[in-house]
Amino acid sequence: MESRNEQMHTLESTQAQILSYLEKVCGTVPQLSDSLALIGIDSVAMAEMTFDFEKQFSFKVTDDILEIETVEELVQYVFENQGGSRQAGN
């Protein structure tokens, strides 16, 4: 079982990877509170991002991603669903 510090490191690592990805796509470093729409993530960008995240984080993106509005929600979604990191019952 992972310790709290290992889980935080994984969350921080996931966050850093997503922020780096969004910086490449959007041309600027987004803040966690930024709206995905505000930083330029439209339906086409979301489709590309979905494909990229499935490969990078080893999980199948579900339609739940369509409900995500902010960068912070995106980080949390990926962290909770990425390969092997899903926390059962939480």
Side-chain angles (χ1 to χ4, degrees):
M1 182 174 212
E2 287 184 295
S3 72
R4 188 170 211 33
N5 287 339
E6 289 170 333
Q7 289 174 353
M8 288 303 294
H9 177 70
T10 302
L11 177 59
E12 289 170 358
S13 174
T14 301
Q15 178 178 313
Q17 291 176 65
I18 290 172
L19 290 176
S20 176
Y21 176 89
L22 292 174
E23 179 181 10
K24 290 175 189 170
V25 171
C26 304
T28 185
V29 179
Q31 299 299 310
L32 290 175
S33 59
D34 286 347
S35 159
L36 294 176
L38 179 70
I39 63 171
I41 302 297
D42 59 13
S43 59
V44 173
M46 181 63 85
E48 291 173 357
M49 184 173 65
T50 296
F51 177 76
D52 292 341
F53 283 2
E54 284 182 341
K55 288 173 56 178
Q56 182 174 354
F57 295 102
S58 303
F59 75 101
K60 179 72 175 147
V61 174
T62 65
D63 288 343
D64 291 343
I65 201 167
L66 301 174
E67 303 298 318
I68 292 172
E69 296 182 4
T70 67
V71 174
E72 184 173 24
E73 290 172 3
L74 180 62
V75 169
Q76 192 63 38
Y77 173 82
V78 172
F79 175 70
E80 290 175 356
N81 290 285
Q82 65 184 323
S85 292
R86 174 174 266 160
Q87 298 174 2
N90 290 345

